[in-house]
Each structure stands twice: as structure tokens, then as C-alpha cells.
Amino acid sequence: MQLFPSPPPGAPAGLLLPGGTPDNPLAMGGPPFPPVVTLPLSHIRRVSMLNLEQAQRTTAPVTVVAEVDATGLISVRESLKPLAERHLGIRLTYLPFFAAATVRALKAWPIMNAMLTPQGFVIPRYINLGIATAVPGGVLLPVVPGAERMGFWDLALAIHLQTQKARAGLLSPHELSGHTFVITNTGRYGATLFGTPIIQPPNVGILAFEAIQKRPVVVGDDQLAIRPMMYLALTADHRAVDGAEMIGFLATVKEALEQVAL
């Protein structure tokens, strides 16, 4: 019985079972197929497993959620996409906008950028932003260091370069460490309302940006309208931050995204 069939030419590295696809390599298809498959843990999965176990043992996580009207955000992104392609050679996603809003909020609420130790808080005066990036075998956290000094276009280019390097397996260990806060764009998959992201030690928080979906909302003088809405899900260590700080941080991110302008 062949437990680890070779992937066909052009398929991504890793296991691809009969019936599987590059996007879902373990999907069940028709015969022939083995009755049982044993998969070894990849290095990425093993490290992630240990980090998450540590997070669950050593933090008191709580998740709070806010809702964002993305009408202006969508309009601005559409206007800037040609500039990004022409001058930077990149496809402009929503991620740089999310990162810029997060950086603004971290500057206003630096406790969210801190590390909690038995001796007290360590609060960096810099922002090293971790960007959760799906790669074959798991998730990596490429870091954009010094994000507090970057303008929007510098941030967009740095995120593009680091995430591309992560997917290509070209990041050094140094580029995968030292994050002071992590963001994750789970909305790019578009299948859920919102989730509860898990803190990445030694950080005290992580912020998930969920899918932009049209929903009925009340606007103006109690008028009902259809707007593109998005949830923000912030998980924070309640030992380090209180509800008022979490809500204040989320409110700052929300305001930055709803008031984005050219």
C-alpha cells in the first residue's frame, strides 16, 4: 500500500492524495485510495502546535468583535489599485489597509503592543507587525519590522515582499521572529462570519479581519440600507488588558477603516 503517493507534475510540494486538488490535497476521491493515510508532522505544523499549546496554557484569552462599514474602503482600494500595479508592480489587496489601521491603533493603545512578563509589562516603542500567511503545511508569521515608521505604500510593499517570501520558503528565522502584534486576514476565504484567533506568545493580542459581505444596516434617520460590512475579531490576554482597552483599540481600527480617504 502506497501511503505517500508522489504529486503530479506542477502540483505544490507535499502530499496529494487520489481525488485531492492543490487547494485541498487530502480530499477523498474515487478509487484507488488507501484505507488509512499516516501523515508526519511538518516542521511548521510542529512549531505551530507547540506555540498554540503554550498560548492556551499561559494566557487568559477573550475575544471581542466590532463591525465596520467598508463602503469607503472598497472605493479607495479600487481607486488605488492601478497605482499599485503601475508604480510598485503589486496587486493591492485589503491587507495594507488593515495593517495601516492596526498600526494607528497600536500607537494610540500601546498596551496592545506589549509583552507581559512576571516582572511587569515590556512595551516596545516600535511596532513589528506579524502577518499570518498560509503556506503549504501550515501558517507562517513573516514580520514587517518598524511598521510605525512606514507610510501606506511602504507598508504595502513590505507586506507583499514578506508574504511572497514566506510562500516561497525564503524567509530567514530572523524574519519570522520578533513580532509585537499579529494580524490575520481570515476574510480572504470568505466562508465564515467571524472567528476567535489565538494569541501568538509572547504578544498580548491578535486581530482578525473577516470577510466583507453585504448586509442590511440602519443608517441615517432609521433608514434601512444594504452596505458592505466586515467584522473585526480581537483576541487579547485578559490578564494584560481590560475590556475598555480592547474596545478602545477596536474602535480606533474601525474609525481608521471607515474614514479612509484618498
Short mmCIF file of all heavy atoms in Angstrom, two decimals, residues 3-74:
data_model
loop_
_atom_site.label_atom_id
_atom_site.label_comp_id
_atom_site.label_asym_id
_atom_site.label_seq_id
_atom_site.Cartn_x
_atom_site.Cartn_y
_atom_site.Cartn_z
N LEU A 3 1.50 4.81 0.92
CA LEU A 3 0.94 5.80 1.84
C LEU A 3 1.22 7.23 1.39
O LEU A 3 0.48 8.14 1.72
CB LEU A 3 1.52 5.59 3.24
CG LEU A 3 1.13 4.28 3.93
CD1 LEU A 3 1.67 4.27 5.35
CD2 LEU A 3 -0.39 4.10 3.95
N PHE A 4 2.30 7.44 0.66
CA PHE A 4 2.68 8.79 0.29
C PHE A 4 2.88 8.87 -1.22
O PHE A 4 4.01 8.85 -1.72
CB PHE A 4 3.95 9.22 1.02
CG PHE A 4 3.81 9.18 2.51
CD1 PHE A 4 4.31 8.11 3.24
CD2 PHE A 4 3.14 10.18 3.17
CE1 PHE A 4 4.16 8.06 4.60
CE2 PHE A 4 2.99 10.14 4.55
CZ PHE A 4 3.50 9.08 5.27
N PRO A 5 1.79 8.91 -2.00
CA PRO A 5 1.93 8.99 -3.45
C PRO A 5 2.60 10.27 -3.88
O PRO A 5 2.46 11.31 -3.24
CB PRO A 5 0.47 8.94 -3.94
CG PRO A 5 -0.34 9.40 -2.77
CD PRO A 5 0.39 8.95 -1.55
N SER A 6 3.37 10.19 -4.95
CA SER A 6 4.06 11.37 -5.46
C SER A 6 3.06 12.32 -6.12
O SER A 6 2.15 11.88 -6.82
CB SER A 6 5.12 10.96 -6.48
OG SER A 6 6.07 10.11 -5.88
N PRO A 7 3.22 13.64 -5.91
CA PRO A 7 2.31 14.59 -6.56
C PRO A 7 2.57 14.62 -8.05
O PRO A 7 3.69 14.39 -8.52
CB PRO A 7 2.68 15.92 -5.89
CG PRO A 7 4.07 15.75 -5.43
CD PRO A 7 4.21 14.31 -5.06
N PRO A 8 1.52 14.90 -8.84
CA PRO A 8 1.71 15.01 -10.29
C PRO A 8 2.55 16.22 -10.63
O PRO A 8 2.70 17.14 -9.81
CB PRO A 8 0.28 15.16 -10.81
CG PRO A 8 -0.49 15.73 -9.67
CD PRO A 8 0.14 15.16 -8.44
N PRO A 9 3.13 16.27 -11.84
CA PRO A 9 3.93 17.42 -12.25
C PRO A 9 3.13 18.72 -12.13
O PRO A 9 1.96 18.78 -12.50
CB PRO A 9 4.27 17.12 -13.72
CG PRO A 9 4.18 15.63 -13.82
CD PRO A 9 3.09 15.22 -12.89
N GLY A 10 3.76 19.74 -11.57
CA GLY A 10 3.11 21.04 -11.43
C GLY A 10 2.33 21.21 -10.15
O GLY A 10 1.88 22.30 -9.82
N ALA A 11 2.13 20.12 -9.39
CA ALA A 11 1.40 20.22 -8.13
C ALA A 11 2.31 20.82 -7.07
O ALA A 11 3.53 20.71 -7.14
CB ALA A 11 0.90 18.85 -7.70
N PRO A 12 1.74 21.46 -6.04
CA PRO A 12 2.56 22.02 -4.97
C PRO A 12 3.27 20.92 -4.21
O PRO A 12 2.82 19.76 -4.19
CB PRO A 12 1.54 22.74 -4.09
CG PRO A 12 0.24 22.08 -4.37
CD PRO A 12 0.31 21.67 -5.82
N ALA A 13 4.38 21.27 -3.57
CA ALA A 13 5.12 20.30 -2.80
C ALA A 13 4.26 19.77 -1.66
O ALA A 13 3.48 20.49 -1.06
CB ALA A 13 6.39 20.93 -2.24
N GLY A 14 4.40 18.50 -1.36
CA GLY A 14 3.64 17.90 -0.28
C GLY A 14 2.73 16.80 -0.79
O GLY A 14 2.72 16.45 -1.96
N LEU A 15 1.96 16.27 0.11
CA LEU A 15 1.10 15.14 -0.20
C LEU A 15 -0.10 15.55 -1.03
O LEU A 15 -0.72 16.57 -0.77
CB LEU A 15 0.63 14.51 1.11
CG LEU A 15 -0.23 13.25 0.98
CD1 LEU A 15 0.61 12.09 0.48
CD2 LEU A 15 -0.85 12.91 2.32
N LEU A 16 -0.43 14.75 -2.05
CA LEU A 16 -1.63 14.96 -2.83
C LEU A 16 -2.25 13.60 -3.08
O LEU A 16 -1.76 12.80 -3.87
CB LEU A 16 -1.31 15.64 -4.17
CG LEU A 16 -2.52 16.03 -5.04
CD1 LEU A 16 -3.32 17.13 -4.35
CD2 LEU A 16 -2.06 16.50 -6.41
N LEU A 17 -3.34 13.32 -2.37
CA LEU A 17 -3.96 12.00 -2.46
C LEU A 17 -4.84 11.90 -3.69
O LEU A 17 -5.28 12.91 -4.24
CB LEU A 17 -4.81 11.75 -1.21
CG LEU A 17 -4.07 11.59 0.11
CD1 LEU A 17 -5.04 11.25 1.23
CD2 LEU A 17 -3.01 10.51 0.02
N PRO A 18 -5.15 10.66 -4.13
CA PRO A 18 -6.09 10.49 -5.24
C PRO A 18 -7.42 11.18 -4.93
O PRO A 18 -7.98 10.99 -3.85
CB PRO A 18 -6.26 8.97 -5.32
CG PRO A 18 -5.01 8.42 -4.74
CD PRO A 18 -4.61 9.38 -3.66
N GLY A 19 -7.87 11.99 -5.86
CA GLY A 19 -9.09 12.76 -5.64
C GLY A 19 -8.84 14.13 -5.06
O GLY A 19 -9.72 14.99 -5.06
N GLY A 20 -7.62 14.36 -4.55
CA GLY A 20 -7.29 15.66 -3.98
C GLY A 20 -7.00 16.69 -5.04
O GLY A 20 -6.79 16.37 -6.22
N THR A 21 -6.98 17.94 -4.63
CA THR A 21 -6.65 19.05 -5.52
C THR A 21 -5.55 19.87 -4.87
O THR A 21 -5.31 19.74 -3.66
CB THR A 21 -7.88 19.95 -5.76
OG1 THR A 21 -8.22 20.61 -4.51
CG2 THR A 21 -9.07 19.13 -6.25
N PRO A 22 -4.87 20.75 -5.60
CA PRO A 22 -3.85 21.58 -4.97
C PRO A 22 -4.39 22.41 -3.80
O PRO A 22 -3.68 22.67 -2.84
CB PRO A 22 -3.38 22.48 -6.13
CG PRO A 22 -3.60 21.64 -7.36
CD PRO A 22 -4.87 20.88 -7.08
N ASP A 23 -5.65 22.83 -3.88
CA ASP A 23 -6.24 23.60 -2.79
C ASP A 23 -6.70 22.74 -1.63
O ASP A 23 -6.81 23.20 -0.51
CB ASP A 23 -7.43 24.42 -3.31
CG ASP A 23 -7.00 25.53 -4.25
OD1 ASP A 23 -5.85 25.99 -4.12
OD2 ASP A 23 -7.81 25.92 -5.11
N ASN A 24 -7.01 21.48 -1.91
CA ASN A 24 -7.50 20.56 -0.88
C ASN A 24 -6.88 19.18 -1.13
O ASN A 24 -7.54 18.26 -1.61
CB ASN A 24 -9.03 20.48 -0.92
CG ASN A 24 -9.60 19.74 0.27
OD1 ASN A 24 -8.87 19.33 1.17
ND2 ASN A 24 -10.90 19.55 0.29
N PRO A 25 -5.59 19.04 -0.82
CA PRO A 25 -4.85 17.84 -1.23
C PRO A 25 -5.31 16.55 -0.57
O PRO A 25 -5.01 15.47 -1.05
CB PRO A 25 -3.40 18.17 -0.85
CG PRO A 25 -3.50 19.22 0.19
CD PRO A 25 -4.72 20.03 -0.14
N LEU A 26 -6.04 16.63 0.55
CA LEU A 26 -6.46 15.42 1.24
C LEU A 26 -7.89 15.02 0.91
O LEU A 26 -8.42 14.07 1.50
CB LEU A 26 -6.33 15.61 2.76
CG LEU A 26 -4.95 15.96 3.29
CD1 LEU A 26 -4.94 15.98 4.82
CD2 LEU A 26 -3.90 14.98 2.78
N ALA A 27 -8.53 15.75 -0.01
CA ALA A 27 -9.93 15.43 -0.33
C ALA A 27 -10.05 14.00 -0.82
O ALA A 27 -9.16 13.47 -1.49
CB ALA A 27 -10.45 16.40 -1.39
N MET A 28 -11.16 13.36 -0.46
CA MET A 28 -11.40 11.97 -0.88
C MET A 28 -11.96 11.95 -2.29
O MET A 28 -12.88 12.69 -2.63
CB MET A 28 -12.37 11.29 0.07
CG MET A 28 -11.83 11.06 1.46
SD MET A 28 -12.99 10.12 2.47
CE MET A 28 -12.14 10.16 4.06
N GLY A 29 -11.43 11.06 -3.11
CA GLY A 29 -11.94 10.86 -4.45
C GLY A 29 -12.29 9.39 -4.66
O GLY A 29 -12.41 8.63 -3.70
N GLY A 30 -12.43 9.02 -5.88
CA GLY A 30 -12.73 7.63 -6.17
C GLY A 30 -11.50 6.77 -6.03
O GLY A 30 -10.38 7.25 -5.84
N PRO A 31 -11.69 5.44 -6.11
CA PRO A 31 -10.55 4.52 -6.02
C PRO A 31 -9.64 4.70 -7.23
O PRO A 31 -10.08 5.23 -8.26
CB PRO A 31 -11.23 3.15 -6.02
CG PRO A 31 -12.56 3.38 -6.67
CD PRO A 31 -12.95 4.79 -6.33
N PRO A 32 -8.33 4.36 -7.10
CA PRO A 32 -7.78 3.66 -5.93
C PRO A 32 -7.39 4.62 -4.82
O PRO A 32 -6.93 5.72 -5.08
CB PRO A 32 -6.53 2.98 -6.51
CG PRO A 32 -6.10 3.91 -7.60
CD PRO A 32 -7.37 4.48 -8.20
N PHE A 33 -7.60 4.20 -3.59
CA PHE A 33 -7.16 5.01 -2.47
C PHE A 33 -6.83 4.09 -1.31
O PHE A 33 -7.44 3.02 -1.15
CB PHE A 33 -8.24 6.01 -2.07
CG PHE A 33 -9.59 5.39 -1.79
CD1 PHE A 33 -9.87 4.83 -0.55
CD2 PHE A 33 -10.55 5.35 -2.77
CE1 PHE A 33 -11.10 4.26 -0.29
CE2 PHE A 33 -11.79 4.77 -2.52
CZ PHE A 33 -12.07 4.22 -1.28
N PRO A 34 -5.87 4.47 -0.46
CA PRO A 34 -5.53 3.64 0.70
C PRO A 34 -6.60 3.80 1.78
O PRO A 34 -7.20 4.86 1.91
CB PRO A 34 -4.19 4.22 1.15
CG PRO A 34 -4.20 5.63 0.68
CD PRO A 34 -4.98 5.62 -0.61
N PRO A 35 -6.84 2.75 2.57
CA PRO A 35 -7.85 2.85 3.62
C PRO A 35 -7.44 3.78 4.76
O PRO A 35 -8.29 4.35 5.43
CB PRO A 35 -8.00 1.41 4.11
CG PRO A 35 -6.70 0.76 3.76
CD PRO A 35 -6.26 1.41 2.48
N VAL A 36 -6.16 3.92 4.97
CA VAL A 36 -5.65 4.79 6.03
C VAL A 36 -4.41 5.49 5.51
O VAL A 36 -3.60 4.90 4.80
CB VAL A 36 -5.29 3.98 7.31
CG1 VAL A 36 -4.66 4.90 8.35
CG2 VAL A 36 -6.52 3.30 7.88
N VAL A 37 -4.26 6.76 5.86
CA VAL A 37 -3.06 7.51 5.50
C VAL A 37 -2.42 8.04 6.76
O VAL A 37 -3.10 8.62 7.62
CB VAL A 37 -3.40 8.68 4.55
CG1 VAL A 37 -2.16 9.51 4.27
CG2 VAL A 37 -3.99 8.16 3.26
N THR A 38 -1.14 7.83 6.91
CA THR A 38 -0.39 8.37 8.05
C THR A 38 0.45 9.54 7.58
O THR A 38 1.25 9.40 6.66
CB THR A 38 0.51 7.28 8.67
OG1 THR A 38 -0.29 6.17 9.06
CG2 THR A 38 1.26 7.84 9.88
N LEU A 39 0.25 10.69 8.21
CA LEU A 39 0.98 11.89 7.81
C LEU A 39 1.95 12.30 8.90
O LEU A 39 1.56 12.45 10.06
CB LEU A 39 0.00 13.05 7.57
CG LEU A 39 -1.02 12.90 6.45
CD1 LEU A 39 -1.89 14.15 6.40
CD2 LEU A 39 -0.33 12.67 5.13
N PRO A 40 3.21 12.50 8.57
CA PRO A 40 4.14 13.03 9.56
C PRO A 40 3.86 14.52 9.78
O PRO A 40 3.30 15.20 8.92
CB PRO A 40 5.51 12.83 8.90
CG PRO A 40 5.21 12.87 7.43
CD PRO A 40 3.84 12.26 7.25
N LEU A 41 4.22 15.02 10.96
CA LEU A 41 4.09 16.44 11.24
C LEU A 41 5.19 17.21 10.52
O LEU A 41 6.37 16.88 10.64
CB LEU A 41 4.18 16.71 12.74
CG LEU A 41 2.99 16.31 13.60
CD1 LEU A 41 3.33 16.54 15.07
CD2 LEU A 41 1.75 17.10 13.22
N SER A 42 4.78 18.22 9.76
CA SER A 42 5.79 19.09 9.17
C SER A 42 6.43 19.94 10.26
O SER A 42 5.89 20.08 11.37
CB SER A 42 5.14 20.01 8.12
OG SER A 42 4.26 20.93 8.75
N HIS A 43 7.57 20.51 9.95
CA HIS A 43 8.24 21.40 10.93
C HIS A 43 7.34 22.57 11.28
O HIS A 43 7.23 22.94 12.47
CB HIS A 43 9.56 21.89 10.35
CG HIS A 43 10.25 22.89 11.24
ND1 HIS A 43 10.84 22.55 12.43
CD2 HIS A 43 10.42 24.25 11.10
CE1 HIS A 43 11.35 23.63 13.00
NE2 HIS A 43 11.11 24.68 12.21
N ILE A 44 6.69 23.14 10.27
CA ILE A 44 5.80 24.29 10.52
C ILE A 44 4.67 23.88 11.44
O ILE A 44 4.35 24.58 12.40
CB ILE A 44 5.25 24.83 9.19
CG1 ILE A 44 6.37 25.43 8.35
CG2 ILE A 44 4.16 25.88 9.43
CD1 ILE A 44 5.93 25.86 6.96
N ARG A 45 4.04 22.72 11.17
CA ARG A 45 2.92 22.27 11.99
C ARG A 45 3.36 21.97 13.41
O ARG A 45 2.67 22.28 14.38
CB ARG A 45 2.29 21.04 11.36
CG ARG A 45 1.07 20.51 12.10
CD ARG A 45 -0.07 21.51 12.09
NE ARG A 45 -0.55 21.77 10.74
CZ ARG A 45 -1.41 22.72 10.42
NH1 ARG A 45 -1.87 23.52 11.35
NH2 ARG A 45 -1.80 22.88 9.17
N ARG A 46 4.54 21.37 13.57
CA ARG A 46 5.03 21.03 14.90
C ARG A 46 5.29 22.29 15.73
O ARG A 46 4.89 22.38 16.90
CB ARG A 46 6.31 20.20 14.81
CG ARG A 46 6.78 19.63 16.13
CD ARG A 46 8.06 18.81 15.93
NE ARG A 46 7.86 17.72 15.01
CZ ARG A 46 7.35 16.55 15.36
NH1 ARG A 46 6.99 16.34 16.61
NH2 ARG A 46 7.21 15.59 14.47
N VAL A 47 5.95 23.28 15.13
CA VAL A 47 6.22 24.53 15.84
C VAL A 47 4.92 25.24 16.18
O VAL A 47 4.74 25.76 17.30
CB VAL A 47 7.14 25.43 14.99
CG1 VAL A 47 7.26 26.82 15.63
CG2 VAL A 47 8.52 24.80 14.85
N SER A 48 3.99 25.29 15.23
CA SER A 48 2.70 25.92 15.46
C SER A 48 1.95 25.23 16.60
O SER A 48 1.36 25.88 17.47
CB SER A 48 1.86 25.88 14.18
OG SER A 48 0.58 26.42 14.40
N MET A 49 1.98 23.91 16.62
CA MET A 49 1.31 23.14 17.66
C MET A 49 1.86 23.49 19.04
O MET A 49 1.10 23.75 19.99
CB MET A 49 1.49 21.65 17.39
CG MET A 49 0.87 20.73 18.40
SD MET A 49 1.16 18.98 17.98
CE MET A 49 2.94 18.87 18.31
N LEU A 50 3.17 23.56 19.15
CA LEU A 50 3.79 23.88 20.44
C LEU A 50 3.47 25.30 20.88
O LEU A 50 3.19 25.55 22.05
CB LEU A 50 5.30 23.66 20.35
CG LEU A 50 5.76 22.22 20.11
CD1 LEU A 50 7.27 22.17 19.92
CD2 LEU A 50 5.34 21.32 21.27
N ASN A 51 3.50 26.24 19.92
CA ASN A 51 3.19 27.63 20.26
C ASN A 51 1.76 27.80 20.73
O ASN A 51 1.47 28.53 21.69
CB ASN A 51 3.46 28.53 19.05
CG ASN A 51 4.93 28.74 18.78
OD1 ASN A 51 5.76 28.51 19.66
ND2 ASN A 51 5.26 29.17 17.58
N LEU A 52 0.82 27.13 20.05
CA LEU A 52 -0.58 27.26 20.42
C LEU A 52 -0.87 26.59 21.75
O LEU A 52 -1.68 27.09 22.55
CB LEU A 52 -1.46 26.67 19.31
CG LEU A 52 -1.41 27.42 17.97
CD1 LEU A 52 -2.24 26.70 16.93
CD2 LEU A 52 -1.88 28.86 18.14
N GLU A 53 -0.21 25.46 22.01
CA GLU A 53 -0.37 24.82 23.32
C GLU A 53 0.13 25.75 24.42
O GLU A 53 -0.51 25.87 25.48
CB GLU A 53 0.38 23.50 23.34
CG GLU A 53 -0.26 22.40 22.52
CD GLU A 53 0.57 21.14 22.49
OE1 GLU A 53 1.72 21.17 23.00
OE2 GLU A 53 0.08 20.12 21.97
N GLN A 54 1.25 26.41 24.17
CA GLN A 54 1.78 27.35 25.15
C GLN A 54 0.81 28.51 25.37
O GLN A 54 0.57 28.94 26.50
CB GLN A 54 3.14 27.89 24.71
CG GLN A 54 3.73 28.91 25.68
CD GLN A 54 4.99 29.58 25.12
OE1 GLN A 54 5.45 29.24 24.03
NE2 GLN A 54 5.52 30.54 25.86
N ALA A 55 0.24 29.01 24.27
CA ALA A 55 -0.69 30.13 24.37
C ALA A 55 -1.90 29.77 25.22
O ALA A 55 -2.35 30.56 26.06
CB ALA A 55 -1.13 30.56 22.98
N GLN A 56 -2.43 28.56 25.01
CA GLN A 56 -3.61 28.16 25.77
C GLN A 56 -3.30 27.92 27.24
O GLN A 56 -4.15 28.12 28.10
CB GLN A 56 -4.21 26.89 25.16
CG GLN A 56 -4.79 27.10 23.76
CD GLN A 56 -5.94 28.10 23.75
OE1 GLN A 56 -5.72 29.30 23.61
NE2 GLN A 56 -7.16 27.61 23.90
N ARG A 57 -2.06 27.52 27.53
CA ARG A 57 -1.67 27.27 28.92
C ARG A 57 -1.36 28.55 29.67
O ARG A 57 -1.57 28.63 30.89
CB ARG A 57 -0.43 26.36 28.97
CG ARG A 57 -0.69 24.90 28.65
CD ARG A 57 0.51 24.05 29.10
NE ARG A 57 1.77 24.55 28.58
CZ ARG A 57 2.33 24.16 27.45
NH1 ARG A 57 1.74 23.23 26.72
NH2 ARG A 57 3.48 24.66 27.04
N THR A 58 -0.83 29.55 28.98
CA THR A 58 -0.23 30.69 29.66
C THR A 58 -0.99 32.00 29.48
O THR A 58 -0.53 33.03 29.98
CB THR A 58 1.22 30.90 29.19
OG1 THR A 58 1.22 31.16 27.77
CG2 THR A 58 2.07 29.67 29.47
N THR A 59 -2.12 32.02 28.77
CA THR A 59 -2.88 33.25 28.60
C THR A 59 -4.32 33.06 29.05
O THR A 59 -4.80 31.94 29.21
CB THR A 59 -2.87 33.72 27.13
OG1 THR A 59 -3.58 32.77 26.32
CG2 THR A 59 -1.46 33.89 26.61
N ALA A 60 -4.99 34.18 29.25
CA ALA A 60 -6.43 34.18 29.57
C ALA A 60 -7.13 34.89 28.42
O ALA A 60 -7.46 36.08 28.51
CB ALA A 60 -6.67 34.89 30.89
N PRO A 61 -7.36 34.17 27.31
CA PRO A 61 -7.86 34.84 26.11
C PRO A 61 -9.34 35.19 26.19
O PRO A 61 -10.16 34.43 26.72
CB PRO A 61 -7.61 33.80 25.01
CG PRO A 61 -7.67 32.50 25.72
CD PRO A 61 -7.11 32.74 27.10
N VAL A 62 -9.67 36.36 25.66
CA VAL A 62 -11.06 36.78 25.50
C VAL A 62 -11.17 37.47 24.15
O VAL A 62 -10.24 38.17 23.73
CB VAL A 62 -11.52 37.71 26.64
CG1 VAL A 62 -10.70 38.99 26.67
CG2 VAL A 62 -13.00 38.04 26.53
N THR A 63 -12.27 37.26 23.45
CA THR A 63 -12.44 37.82 22.11
C THR A 63 -13.59 38.82 22.11
O THR A 63 -14.66 38.54 22.65
CB THR A 63 -12.73 36.72 21.08
OG1 THR A 63 -11.63 35.79 21.05
CG2 THR A 63 -12.90 37.30 19.67
N VAL A 64 -13.34 39.98 21.51
CA VAL A 64 -14.38 40.99 21.32
C VAL A 64 -14.47 41.29 19.83
O VAL A 64 -13.49 41.17 19.09
CB VAL A 64 -14.09 42.28 22.12
CG1 VAL A 64 -14.23 42.04 23.61
CG2 VAL A 64 -12.68 42.80 21.82
N VAL A 65 -15.66 41.66 19.37
CA VAL A 65 -15.93 41.80 17.95
C VAL A 65 -16.54 43.17 17.67
O VAL A 65 -17.39 43.65 18.44
CB VAL A 65 -16.88 40.69 17.45
CG1 VAL A 65 -17.18 40.85 15.97
CG2 VAL A 65 -16.27 39.32 17.72
N ALA A 66 -16.11 43.80 16.59
CA ALA A 66 -16.69 45.06 16.13
C ALA A 66 -17.06 44.92 14.66
O ALA A 66 -16.57 44.03 13.96
CB ALA A 66 -15.71 46.21 16.32
N GLU A 67 -17.94 45.80 14.19
CA GLU A 67 -18.40 45.76 12.81
C GLU A 67 -17.99 47.04 12.10
O GLU A 67 -18.08 48.14 12.67
CB GLU A 67 -19.92 45.60 12.75
CG GLU A 67 -20.45 45.27 11.38
CD GLU A 67 -21.93 44.94 11.40
OE1 GLU A 67 -22.66 45.50 12.23
OE2 GLU A 67 -22.36 44.11 10.56
N VAL A 68 -17.53 46.90 10.86
CA VAL A 68 -17.02 48.03 10.08
C VAL A 68 -17.83 48.17 8.80
O VAL A 68 -18.09 47.17 8.11
CB VAL A 68 -15.53 47.82 9.73
CG1 VAL A 68 -15.05 48.84 8.70
CG2 VAL A 68 -14.67 47.89 10.98
N ASP A 69 -18.22 49.41 8.48
CA ASP A 69 -18.82 49.71 7.18
C ASP A 69 -17.68 49.93 6.19
O ASP A 69 -16.92 50.88 6.30
CB ASP A 69 -19.70 50.95 7.28
CG ASP A 69 -20.45 51.25 5.99
OD1 ASP A 69 -19.99 50.84 4.91
OD2 ASP A 69 -21.49 51.95 6.05
N ALA A 70 -17.54 49.03 5.22
CA ALA A 70 -16.40 49.05 4.31
C ALA A 70 -16.67 49.80 3.02
O ALA A 70 -15.90 49.69 2.07
CB ALA A 70 -15.96 47.62 3.99
N THR A 71 -17.72 50.59 2.96
CA THR A 71 -18.08 51.29 1.73
C THR A 71 -16.93 52.15 1.22
O THR A 71 -16.51 52.06 0.05
CB THR A 71 -19.32 52.17 1.95
OG1 THR A 71 -20.40 51.35 2.41
CG2 THR A 71 -19.72 52.86 0.65
N GLY A 72 -16.40 53.02 2.07
CA GLY A 72 -15.30 53.89 1.67
C GLY A 72 -14.03 53.13 1.39
O GLY A 72 -13.28 53.46 0.46
N LEU A 73 -13.77 52.10 2.17
CA LEU A 73 -12.56 51.28 1.99
C LEU A 73 -12.54 50.64 0.60
O LEU A 73 -11.51 50.66 -0.09
CB LEU A 73 -12.51 50.21 3.08
CG LEU A 73 -11.40 49.17 2.98
CD1 LEU A 73 -10.04 49.83 3.08
CD2 LEU A 73 -11.57 48.11 4.08
N ILE A 74 -13.67 50.10 0.20
CA ILE A 74 -13.75 49.46 -1.12
C ILE A 74 -13.49 50.48 -2.22
O ILE A 74 -12.74 50.21 -3.18
CB ILE A 74 -15.13 48.80 -1.30
CG1 ILE A 74 -15.28 47.62 -0.35
CG2 ILE A 74 -15.33 48.35 -2.75
CD1 ILE A 74 -16.67 47.01 -0.34
#
